[in-house]
Amino acid sequence: MKLKKLNKLTLFTLLLCGIVSPASAQKNFKYKAALQSIDSTGFYRIGLQPGLIAKAKADLSDIRIADSKGNFVPYIQAGSLPQKSQKSFVVFPEVSNTPKTDTSTVFIIENKTALVLDRLWVRLQNTAVKRKVNLLGSDNLNQWFAIQEDIPLQEAIQNSEGTYLQLLSFPASNYRYLKIQVNDKNKNPVKFLQAGVYTEYASAAQSYTAIAPVNVIRADSNKATFIDIKLNDKYQVNKLHFNISAPKYYKRGVAVYQFVNNGKELISETELSSDKDPELLIAAKTNHLLIEISNGDNQPLSIGEIKAYQSDEYLISYLEAKQSYQFLAGDSLAQAPEYDLKFFADSIRGNTPVIKHEAVVKNTGYAAAVKPAGKDYTVLIWVAIIVSLGLLLFLTLKMTKEVKKKEGDN
Protein backbone atom coordinates (compact mmCIF):
# COMPACT_ATOMS: atom_id res chain seq x y z
CA MET A 1 0.00 0.00 0.00
CA LYS A 2 2.77 2.40 0.93
CA LEU A 3 4.58 1.60 -2.32
CA LYS A 4 1.45 2.55 -4.29
CA LYS A 5 1.24 5.83 -2.41
CA LEU A 6 4.90 6.47 -3.13
CA ASN A 7 4.39 5.86 -6.86
CA LYS A 8 1.39 8.21 -6.94
CA LEU A 9 3.32 10.92 -5.18
CA THR A 10 6.24 10.47 -7.57
CA LEU A 11 3.93 10.82 -10.57
CA PHE A 12 2.32 13.92 -9.04
CA THR A 13 5.75 15.50 -8.53
CA LEU A 14 6.76 14.78 -12.12
CA LEU A 15 3.54 16.34 -13.38
CA LEU A 16 4.27 19.47 -11.35
CA CYS A 17 7.71 19.66 -12.91
CA GLY A 18 6.10 19.40 -16.34
CA ILE A 19 8.25 16.61 -17.76
CA VAL A 20 5.85 13.73 -18.45
CA SER A 21 3.43 15.21 -21.00
CA PRO A 22 4.52 15.25 -24.68
CA ALA A 23 2.15 18.13 -25.34
CA SER A 24 3.81 20.28 -22.66
CA ALA A 25 6.84 20.80 -24.90
CA GLN A 26 4.62 22.51 -27.48
CA LYS A 27 3.92 25.32 -25.03
CA ASN A 28 7.49 26.58 -25.51
CA PHE A 29 6.80 27.57 -29.13
CA LYS A 30 5.16 30.91 -29.88
CA TYR A 31 3.90 30.07 -33.37
CA LYS A 32 2.36 27.22 -35.33
CA ALA A 33 1.24 26.44 -38.89
CA ALA A 34 -0.89 23.48 -39.96
CA LEU A 35 0.50 21.20 -42.66
CA GLN A 36 -1.46 20.32 -45.76
CA SER A 37 -3.42 17.08 -45.29
CA ILE A 38 -2.19 13.98 -47.14
CA ASP A 39 -4.00 10.88 -48.45
CA SER A 40 -1.15 8.35 -48.43
CA THR A 41 1.64 7.42 -46.05
CA GLY A 42 5.22 8.13 -47.09
CA PHE A 43 7.98 10.69 -47.37
CA TYR A 44 7.01 14.27 -48.19
CA ARG A 45 8.98 17.39 -49.07
CA ILE A 46 7.58 20.29 -47.06
CA GLY A 47 8.25 23.84 -48.23
CA LEU A 48 9.07 26.45 -45.59
CA GLN A 49 7.31 29.69 -46.48
CA PRO A 50 8.85 33.09 -45.62
CA GLY A 51 6.26 33.70 -42.90
CA LEU A 52 7.39 30.61 -40.97
CA ILE A 53 11.12 31.21 -41.34
CA ALA A 54 10.59 34.80 -40.17
CA LYS A 55 9.25 33.49 -36.84
CA ALA A 56 12.04 30.91 -36.41
CA LYS A 57 15.64 31.29 -35.31
CA ALA A 58 18.20 32.18 -37.96
CA ASP A 59 19.56 28.60 -38.08
CA LEU A 60 16.02 27.10 -38.06
CA SER A 61 17.00 24.98 -35.04
CA ASP A 62 13.67 25.66 -33.32
CA ILE A 63 11.43 24.31 -36.09
CA ARG A 64 9.55 21.14 -35.13
CA ILE A 65 6.88 18.96 -36.76
CA ALA A 66 4.26 17.76 -34.27
CA ASP A 67 1.52 15.18 -34.78
CA SER A 68 -2.01 15.31 -33.32
CA LYS A 69 -0.79 13.70 -30.06
CA GLY A 70 1.89 16.33 -29.54
CA ASN A 71 4.82 14.04 -30.42
CA PHE A 72 7.65 15.48 -32.49
CA VAL A 73 8.12 13.85 -35.90
CA PRO A 74 11.67 13.35 -37.29
CA TYR A 75 12.77 15.26 -40.38
CA ILE A 76 15.87 16.02 -42.41
CA GLN A 77 16.74 18.94 -44.64
CA ALA A 78 15.99 18.30 -48.30
CA GLY A 79 19.58 19.02 -49.29
CA SER A 80 20.77 16.15 -47.07
CA LEU A 81 19.67 13.49 -49.57
CA PRO A 82 22.71 11.47 -50.73
CA GLN A 83 23.94 11.59 -54.30
CA LYS A 84 24.47 8.19 -55.96
CA SER A 85 27.04 9.20 -58.59
CA GLN A 86 30.36 10.14 -57.03
CA LYS A 87 31.66 11.11 -60.51
CA SER A 88 29.31 14.11 -60.54
CA PHE A 89 31.02 15.74 -57.57
CA VAL A 90 32.76 19.03 -58.39
CA VAL A 91 35.53 19.95 -55.96
CA PHE A 92 36.18 23.62 -55.25
CA PRO A 93 39.91 24.46 -55.15
CA GLU A 94 41.38 24.97 -51.72
CA VAL A 95 42.88 28.40 -51.09
CA SER A 96 44.18 27.96 -47.59
CA ASN A 97 44.01 25.20 -45.02
CA THR A 98 45.19 26.06 -41.55
CA PRO A 99 45.18 22.72 -39.67
CA LYS A 100 45.59 24.23 -36.23
CA THR A 101 45.36 27.64 -34.61
CA ASP A 102 44.92 28.49 -30.96
CA THR A 103 41.16 28.05 -31.10
CA SER A 104 39.95 26.85 -34.50
CA THR A 105 40.38 24.79 -37.66
CA VAL A 106 40.04 26.85 -40.85
CA PHE A 107 39.37 25.57 -44.38
CA ILE A 108 39.01 28.06 -47.27
CA ILE A 109 37.77 27.25 -50.78
CA GLU A 110 37.19 29.28 -53.96
CA ASN A 111 33.89 29.47 -55.85
CA LYS A 112 35.53 30.63 -59.10
CA THR A 113 32.40 30.72 -61.25
CA ALA A 114 30.34 32.60 -58.63
CA LEU A 115 27.72 29.85 -58.36
CA VAL A 116 24.74 30.71 -56.20
CA LEU A 117 25.14 28.24 -53.34
CA ASP A 118 22.85 27.28 -50.50
CA ARG A 119 24.59 24.01 -49.66
CA LEU A 120 28.10 22.60 -49.64
CA TRP A 121 29.27 19.01 -49.29
CA VAL A 122 32.38 18.69 -47.12
CA ARG A 123 34.56 15.57 -47.01
CA LEU A 124 36.30 14.92 -43.68
CA GLN A 125 38.57 12.29 -42.26
CA ASN A 126 36.48 10.04 -40.02
CA THR A 127 35.89 11.67 -36.65
CA ALA A 128 33.47 11.25 -33.76
CA VAL A 129 33.63 14.58 -31.94
CA LYS A 130 31.06 17.24 -31.20
CA ARG A 131 32.01 20.60 -32.70
CA LYS A 132 30.29 23.65 -34.17
CA VAL A 133 31.01 25.04 -37.65
CA ASN A 134 30.82 28.69 -38.73
CA LEU A 135 30.57 29.52 -42.45
CA LEU A 136 31.82 32.86 -43.75
CA GLY A 137 32.00 34.44 -47.21
CA SER A 138 34.30 36.94 -48.89
CA ASP A 139 35.04 38.39 -52.31
CA ASN A 140 38.61 39.47 -51.55
CA LEU A 141 39.95 37.16 -48.79
CA ASN A 142 40.30 40.20 -46.52
CA GLN A 143 36.84 41.14 -45.35
CA TRP A 144 34.68 38.22 -44.25
CA PHE A 145 30.92 38.16 -43.69
CA ALA A 146 28.94 35.68 -41.61
CA ILE A 147 26.66 33.32 -43.58
CA GLN A 148 25.70 30.70 -40.99
CA GLU A 149 26.88 30.10 -37.44
CA ASP A 150 26.93 27.14 -35.07
CA ILE A 151 26.25 24.41 -37.63
CA PRO A 152 26.62 21.05 -35.80
CA LEU A 153 29.45 18.89 -37.14
CA GLN A 154 28.12 15.38 -37.63
CA GLU A 155 29.93 12.31 -36.42
CA ALA A 156 31.12 9.72 -38.93
CA ILE A 157 29.03 6.58 -39.27
CA GLN A 158 30.71 3.19 -39.50
CA ASN A 159 32.23 2.62 -42.94
CA SER A 160 35.37 1.15 -44.48
CA GLU A 161 36.46 4.22 -46.44
CA GLY A 162 37.95 6.23 -43.59
CA THR A 163 36.21 9.41 -44.79
CA TYR A 164 32.66 10.74 -44.86
CA LEU A 165 30.62 13.55 -46.37
CA GLN A 166 28.62 16.12 -44.45
CA LEU A 167 26.18 18.60 -45.95
CA LEU A 168 26.30 22.22 -44.83
CA SER A 169 23.06 24.06 -45.63
CA PHE A 170 22.93 27.85 -45.44
CA PRO A 171 21.20 30.94 -46.91
CA ALA A 172 21.92 31.33 -50.63
CA SER A 173 24.92 33.48 -51.55
CA ASN A 174 27.53 33.76 -54.31
CA TYR A 175 30.68 34.79 -52.46
CA ARG A 176 33.86 33.94 -54.34
CA TYR A 177 35.51 32.52 -51.23
CA LEU A 178 34.00 30.43 -48.45
CA LYS A 179 35.65 29.87 -45.09
CA ILE A 180 34.69 26.90 -42.93
CA GLN A 181 35.71 27.58 -39.34
CA VAL A 182 35.48 24.98 -36.60
CA ASN A 183 35.62 26.06 -32.97
CA ASP A 184 38.09 23.56 -31.48
CA LYS A 185 38.28 25.22 -28.05
CA ASN A 186 41.97 24.31 -27.72
CA LYS A 187 41.28 20.68 -28.65
CA ASN A 188 42.82 18.67 -31.45
CA PRO A 189 41.64 19.81 -34.92
CA VAL A 190 39.40 17.94 -37.33
CA LYS A 191 40.74 17.21 -40.81
CA PHE A 192 39.00 18.60 -43.90
CA LEU A 193 39.85 16.91 -47.20
CA GLN A 194 37.73 18.69 -49.81
CA ALA A 195 34.50 20.59 -50.38
CA GLY A 196 32.23 21.00 -53.38
CA VAL A 197 28.83 20.42 -54.95
CA TYR A 198 27.24 17.89 -57.30
CA THR A 199 26.93 18.87 -60.96
CA GLU A 200 23.18 18.19 -60.93
CA TYR A 201 22.81 20.83 -58.26
CA ALA A 202 25.35 23.22 -59.77
CA SER A 203 23.48 23.29 -63.09
CA ALA A 204 20.05 23.71 -61.51
CA ALA A 205 18.60 27.18 -61.16
CA GLN A 206 18.04 28.33 -57.60
CA SER A 207 14.37 28.92 -56.89
CA TYR A 208 13.03 31.75 -54.74
CA THR A 209 9.81 32.86 -53.06
CA ALA A 210 8.82 36.52 -53.03
CA ILE A 211 8.59 38.43 -49.75
CA ALA A 212 5.86 41.04 -49.48
CA PRO A 213 5.23 43.82 -48.78
CA VAL A 214 8.46 45.75 -49.39
CA ASN A 215 8.47 49.40 -48.30
CA VAL A 216 11.14 51.49 -50.05
CA ILE A 217 12.42 55.02 -49.40
CA ARG A 218 15.05 56.43 -51.78
CA ALA A 219 17.39 59.39 -51.32
CA ASP A 220 20.04 60.68 -53.76
CA SER A 221 22.97 62.63 -52.32
CA ASN A 222 26.32 63.75 -53.63
CA LYS A 223 27.72 60.81 -55.68
CA ALA A 224 25.60 58.19 -53.88
CA THR A 225 22.09 56.75 -53.78
CA PHE A 226 20.65 55.43 -50.53
CA ILE A 227 17.72 52.99 -50.57
CA ASP A 228 16.02 52.20 -47.27
CA ILE A 229 14.09 48.90 -47.36
CA LYS A 230 11.69 47.89 -44.60
CA LEU A 231 9.82 44.58 -44.24
CA ASN A 232 6.98 43.79 -41.85
CA ASP A 233 8.87 40.92 -40.18
CA LYS A 234 12.37 39.52 -39.82
CA TYR A 235 12.42 37.56 -43.05
CA GLN A 236 15.30 35.55 -44.46
CA VAL A 237 16.36 37.72 -47.43
CA ASN A 238 18.53 36.04 -50.07
CA LYS A 239 17.92 38.14 -53.17
CA LEU A 240 17.00 41.73 -54.03
CA HIS A 241 15.84 42.42 -57.60
CA PHE A 242 16.02 45.96 -59.03
CA ASN A 243 13.99 47.20 -62.00
CA ILE A 244 16.62 49.48 -63.61
CA SER A 245 15.53 51.34 -66.74
CA ALA A 246 18.46 53.74 -67.30
CA PRO A 247 21.24 54.32 -68.20
CA LYS A 248 21.90 51.63 -70.81
CA TYR A 249 25.41 50.96 -69.52
CA TYR A 250 26.35 51.10 -65.85
CA LYS A 251 28.60 49.44 -63.28
CA ARG A 252 28.17 50.68 -59.71
CA GLY A 253 29.64 49.52 -56.42
CA VAL A 254 27.03 48.58 -53.84
CA ALA A 255 27.21 48.17 -50.06
CA VAL A 256 24.40 46.35 -48.23
CA TYR A 257 23.74 46.99 -44.55
CA GLN A 258 21.30 45.49 -42.09
CA PHE A 259 20.12 47.29 -38.98
CA VAL A 260 20.79 45.70 -35.60
CA ASN A 261 20.37 46.92 -32.04
CA ASN A 262 23.59 48.94 -32.06
CA GLY A 263 23.14 50.48 -35.51
CA LYS A 264 23.81 49.29 -39.03
CA GLU A 265 26.07 46.36 -39.94
CA LEU A 266 27.75 45.77 -43.30
CA ILE A 267 26.74 42.38 -44.70
CA SER A 268 27.87 42.54 -48.34
CA GLU A 269 29.94 44.54 -50.80
CA THR A 270 29.12 43.83 -54.44
CA GLU A 271 28.07 45.63 -57.64
CA LEU A 272 25.21 46.26 -60.02
CA SER A 273 26.22 45.98 -63.67
CA SER A 274 24.32 46.27 -66.95
CA ASP A 275 25.92 43.07 -68.25
CA LYS A 276 24.37 41.01 -65.43
CA ASP A 277 20.92 40.53 -63.94
CA PRO A 278 20.05 43.56 -61.76
CA GLU A 279 20.12 41.51 -58.57
CA LEU A 280 21.95 41.40 -55.27
CA LEU A 281 22.47 38.02 -53.61
CA ILE A 282 22.77 38.37 -49.86
CA ALA A 283 22.16 36.40 -46.67
CA ALA A 284 20.34 38.35 -43.98
CA LYS A 285 17.52 37.67 -41.52
CA THR A 286 16.18 41.13 -40.95
CA ASN A 287 13.31 43.57 -41.34
CA HIS A 288 15.44 46.59 -42.26
CA LEU A 289 18.09 46.95 -44.96
CA LEU A 290 20.03 49.91 -46.32
CA ILE A 291 21.49 49.85 -49.85
CA GLU A 292 24.24 52.35 -50.71
CA ILE A 293 25.02 52.71 -54.45
CA SER A 294 28.19 54.59 -55.39
CA ASN A 295 27.45 56.71 -58.45
CA GLY A 296 30.79 58.51 -58.82
CA ASP A 297 30.30 61.33 -61.34
CA ASN A 298 27.38 59.57 -63.04
CA GLN A 299 23.68 60.30 -62.84
CA PRO A 300 21.82 58.11 -60.36
CA LEU A 301 20.28 54.89 -61.67
CA SER A 302 16.63 55.01 -62.65
CA ILE A 303 15.23 52.34 -60.34
CA GLY A 304 11.59 51.32 -60.33
CA GLU A 305 10.20 48.46 -58.27
CA ILE A 306 12.45 46.57 -55.83
CA LYS A 307 11.51 43.01 -54.86
CA ALA A 308 12.86 40.85 -52.03
CA TYR A 309 13.10 37.05 -52.16
CA GLN A 310 13.91 34.10 -49.91
CA SER A 311 15.64 31.04 -51.34
CA ASP A 312 13.33 28.03 -51.16
CA GLU A 313 13.85 25.77 -48.15
CA TYR A 314 12.43 22.26 -47.69
CA LEU A 315 12.25 19.63 -44.96
CA ILE A 316 11.60 15.95 -45.65
CA SER A 317 9.60 13.85 -43.22
CA TYR A 318 7.77 10.51 -43.12
CA LEU A 319 4.08 11.31 -42.57
CA GLU A 320 1.10 9.07 -41.91
CA ALA A 321 -2.09 9.31 -43.99
CA LYS A 322 -5.13 10.97 -42.42
CA GLN A 323 -2.94 12.29 -39.60
CA SER A 324 -2.89 15.97 -38.62
CA TYR A 325 0.50 17.67 -38.46
CA GLN A 326 1.70 21.15 -37.72
CA PHE A 327 4.90 23.15 -37.71
CA LEU A 328 6.03 24.76 -34.46
CA ALA A 329 8.53 27.63 -34.23
CA GLY A 330 9.56 30.46 -31.97
CA ASP A 331 11.39 28.82 -29.06
CA SER A 332 14.52 30.89 -28.40
CA LEU A 333 16.03 28.16 -26.19
CA ALA A 334 15.52 25.26 -28.62
CA GLN A 335 18.53 23.37 -29.96
CA ALA A 336 18.82 21.66 -33.36
CA PRO A 337 17.18 18.21 -33.09
CA GLU A 338 19.14 15.00 -33.69
CA TYR A 339 16.98 12.42 -35.46
CA ASP A 340 17.87 8.86 -36.55
CA LEU A 341 16.24 9.61 -39.91
CA LYS A 342 19.50 11.10 -41.19
CA PHE A 343 20.97 7.58 -41.26
CA PHE A 344 18.19 6.39 -43.59
CA ALA A 345 18.25 9.21 -46.12
CA ASP A 346 19.06 6.74 -48.92
CA SER A 347 15.55 5.29 -48.48
CA ILE A 348 13.99 8.50 -49.80
CA ARG A 349 13.03 8.65 -53.47
CA GLY A 350 14.08 11.55 -55.65
CA ASN A 351 10.49 12.37 -56.71
CA THR A 352 9.20 13.01 -53.22
CA PRO A 353 5.76 14.74 -53.27
CA VAL A 354 5.76 18.39 -52.24
CA ILE A 355 3.26 19.78 -49.75
CA LYS A 356 2.81 23.20 -48.15
CA HIS A 357 1.82 24.58 -44.80
CA GLU A 358 -0.93 27.03 -43.98
CA ALA A 359 -0.53 30.54 -42.62
CA VAL A 360 1.49 31.03 -39.46
CA VAL A 361 -0.58 31.88 -36.38
CA LYS A 362 0.09 32.33 -32.68
CA ASN A 363 0.27 29.13 -30.66
CA THR A 364 -2.63 29.35 -28.24
CA GLY A 365 -0.92 26.79 -26.00
CA TYR A 366 2.03 29.16 -25.60
CA ALA A 367 -0.31 32.06 -24.80
CA ALA A 368 -2.06 29.97 -22.14
CA ALA A 369 1.28 29.03 -20.60
CA VAL A 370 2.27 32.67 -20.18
CA LYS A 371 1.23 33.90 -16.75
CA PRO A 372 -1.36 36.73 -16.70
CA ALA A 373 -0.11 40.17 -15.72
CA GLY A 374 -0.31 40.77 -11.99
CA LYS A 375 -0.79 37.09 -11.11
CA ASP A 376 2.48 35.38 -10.37
CA TYR A 377 2.02 31.85 -9.03
CA THR A 378 5.71 30.96 -9.20
CA VAL A 379 6.19 30.94 -5.42
CA LEU A 380 3.14 28.73 -4.84
CA ILE A 381 4.26 26.27 -7.52
CA TRP A 382 7.74 26.00 -6.02
CA VAL A 383 6.27 25.53 -2.52
CA ALA A 384 4.09 22.69 -3.84
CA ILE A 385 7.07 21.07 -5.54
CA ILE A 386 9.28 21.36 -2.43
CA VAL A 387 6.53 19.96 -0.17
CA SER A 388 5.97 17.05 -2.57
CA LEU A 389 9.68 16.29 -2.74
CA GLY A 390 9.89 16.51 1.06
CA LEU A 391 7.04 14.02 1.47
CA LEU A 392 8.64 11.76 -1.12
CA LEU A 393 11.95 11.82 0.75
CA PHE A 394 10.22 11.22 4.09
CA LEU A 395 8.29 8.18 2.80
CA THR A 396 11.41 6.80 1.12
CA LEU A 397 13.43 7.01 4.35
CA LYS A 398 10.57 5.55 6.36
CA MET A 399 10.19 2.61 3.98
CA THR A 400 13.95 2.04 4.03
CA LYS A 401 13.97 1.86 7.85
CA GLU A 402 11.04 -0.57 7.86
CA VAL A 403 12.75 -2.82 5.32
CA LYS A 404 15.96 -2.83 7.37
CA LYS A 405 14.00 -3.54 10.54
CA LYS A 406 12.27 -6.52 8.95
CA GLU A 407 15.58 -7.83 7.68
CA GLY A 408 17.02 -7.49 11.18
CA ASP A 409 14.09 -9.36 12.71
CA ASN A 410 14.59 -12.17 10.21
Side-chain angles (χ1 to χ4, degrees), residues 188-199:
N188 292 325
V190 295
K191 186 175 182 180
F192 290 96
L193 301 176
Q194 57 184 205
V197 295
Y198 287 87
T199 53

Side-chain angles (χ1 to χ4, degrees), residues 344-409:
F344 303 93
D346 55 356
S347 301
I348 303 173
R349 305 188 311 273
N351 58 343
T352 309
V354 177
I355 62 174
K356 300 179 180 180
H357 63 80
E358 297 179 6
V360 178
V361 298
K362 291 183 178 180
N363 182 8
T364 54
Y366 177 85
V370 177
K371 60 188 179 185
K375 295 181 180 180
D376 190 348
Y377 299 104
T378 303
V379 175
L380 293 177
I381 292 173
W382 276 108
V383 169
I385 293 175
I386 293 172
V387 170
S388 299
L389 292 175
L391 289 174
L392 181 63
L393 179 61
F394 172 75
L395 290 176
T396 302
L397 293 174
K398 188 175 181 181
M399 288 181 61
T400 303
K401 291 180 178 179
E402 290 179 356
V403 170
K404 289 182 177 180
K405 183 178 179 180
K406 289 180 178 181
E407 290 178 349
D409 294 339

Side-chain angles (χ1 to χ4, degrees), residues 292-357:
E292 181 180 354
I293 303 174
S294 300
N295 296 322
D297 296 321
N298 305 289
Q299 291 294 317
L301 300 175
S302 296
I303 302 175
E305 185 180 22
I306 299 176
K307 295 182 178 180
Y309 296 87
Q310 170 204 293
S311 60
D312 288 343
E313 301 273 356
Y314 296 92
L315 301 181
I316 293 181
S317 183
Y318 189 83
L319 306 179
E320 300 284 346
K322 309 301 182 182
Q323 175 72 274
S324 298
Y325 296 96
Q326 64 180 357
F327 272 132
L328 297 171
D331 181 0
S332 61
L333 301 179
Q335 299 294 320
E338 287 286 338
Y339 295 128
D340 293 339
L341 187 60
K342 65 184 178 182
F343 299 113
F344 303 93
D346 55 356
S347 301
I348 303 173
R349 305 188 311 273
N351 58 343
T352 309
V354 177
I355 62 174
K356 300 179 180 180
H357 63 80

